[in-house]
Amino acid sequence: MEHSDKKIIIITAPSGAGKTSITRYLMHRFPKLAFSVSAATRNPRGNEKDGVDYHFITEDDFKQNIRQNEFVEWEMVYEGKYYGTLKSELIRIWQENKIPVLDIDVKGAIHVQQLYPNSSLSLFIETPSVDELKKRLLSRGTESSETLTARINKAAYELSFKEQFNKHIVNDDLQRACTETQLIVKDFINA
Ligand code: 5GP
C-alpha cells in the first residue's frame, strides 16, 4: 500500500494486560491520533458499538474482504473468530492527517511492523505476571471458563514475542503505565 512514509502506532499485548485502557487514554491525550477500527466476526459485548469499537461483520463478509485484498493484516485471533485491519481505515486516517493507532494481537502487530519498519512505533504492554492477568480477566467478568483458559494459554505464548517490539511497558499500575506510554508516544509524534 502507498503512504509508506506515514506514521503508525501499534499497541499489542496479551489480552487483559490493559492495552485497551491505555489506548483510550492516548486517544484522549493526543488529538493527532485516530483509532483504527478493525473488522471482527465476534459478537459485540456490553456497550460496544458497531463502527466505533469494531466493524462487526459476518464470517462470509470477512472472507470476502480477504479475497478482495482489503486487509493490511488479519488473524483468526480466537478459534473461529477473525479480526483484521482494513486498508480503508488507515487511508481514511492518513487522509485526515492523523496517525492511526492499532490495538491488535501480537501476530498482527509483528506483521504490520514488518510492513512499516521505518514509520511504525510498536508498544508491547505486559502484566506483571500470568496470575495477575488471570485475576484481571476474571474481574472483567466477560469470559466463560473456556475462553478464559484460551486467553491465559495464549498470553503465555504471546509473552515470548515481546523482544520484537520497540518498547515494553509493564502495566503494574495503570496510571503509571499510561504516563510512561504518553511520553513515548509524544516523542514519536513530536507532539
Ligand atoms: P477482543 O475480542 O477482546 O476485543 O480482542 C481480542 C484480540 O484481538 C485483542 O488482542 C485485540 O487487540 C485483537 N485485535 C483487534 N483487532 C484486531 C485486528 O484488526 N487484527 C488483529 N490481528 N488483532 C486484532
Side-chain angles (χ1 to χ4, degrees), residues 67-96:
R67 284 193 297 273
Q68 293 174 342
N69 197 22
E70 287 175 18
F71 289 115
V72 178
E73 61 76 37
W74 63 270
E75 297 289 336
M76 188 168 83
V77 176
Y78 297 109
E79 196 53 40
K81 301 293 171 210
Y82 295 85
Y83 296 75
T85 306
L86 291 159
K87 290 180 181 173
S88 57
E89 273 295 296
L90 301 190
I91 290 169
R92 176 184 66 77
I93 293 168
W94 283 326
Q95 278 173 349
E96 287 171 10

Side-chain angles (χ1 to χ4, degrees), residues 19 38 42 45 54 73 75 77-78 83-85 103-105 108 151:
K19 76 177 178 313
S38 295
R42 75 155 167 77
R45 297 190 197 114
Y54 286 105
E73 61 76 37
E75 297 289 336
V77 176
Y78 297 109
Y83 296 75
T85 306
D103 168 344
I104 61 178
D105 88 323
R151 282 178 189 238

Side-chain angles (χ1 to χ4, degrees), residues 154-172:
K154 190 162 186 216
Y157 172 71
E158 287 176 330
L159 267 173
S160 66
F161 293 98
K162 76 170 187 181
E163 296 307 328
Q164 306 208 18
F165 298 98
N166 297 142
K167 303 275 180 189
H168 312 146
I169 294 123
V170 179
N171 185 6
D172 46 0

Side-chain angles (χ1 to χ4, degrees), residues 117-128:
N118 302 319
S119 55
S120 61
L121 169 68
S122 59
L123 306 174
F124 186 93
I125 317 288
E126 55 181 306
T127 43

Side-chain angles (χ1 to χ4, degrees), residues 14-74:
S15 167
K19 76 177 178 313
T20 305
S21 309
I22 294 177
T23 304
R24 290 211 181 107
Y25 176 89
L26 292 175
M27 307 313 301
H28 284 116
R29 283 290 175 293
F30 299 107
K32 188 140 182 83
L33 304 183
F35 185 67
S36 161
V37 180
S38 295
T41 63
R42 75 155 167 77
N43 294 323
R45 297 190 197 114
N47 291 329
E48 288 180 334
K49 289 201 177 57
D50 185 37
V52 176
D53 299 282
Y54 286 105
H55 298 290
F56 293 104
I57 63 175
T58 63
E59 192 172 321
D60 280 351
D61 286 347
F62 197 99
K63 289 185 172 162
Q64 189 174 348
N65 286 343
I66 296 174
R67 284 193 297 273
Q68 293 174 342
N69 197 22
E70 287 175 18
F71 289 115
V72 178
E73 61 76 37
W74 63 270

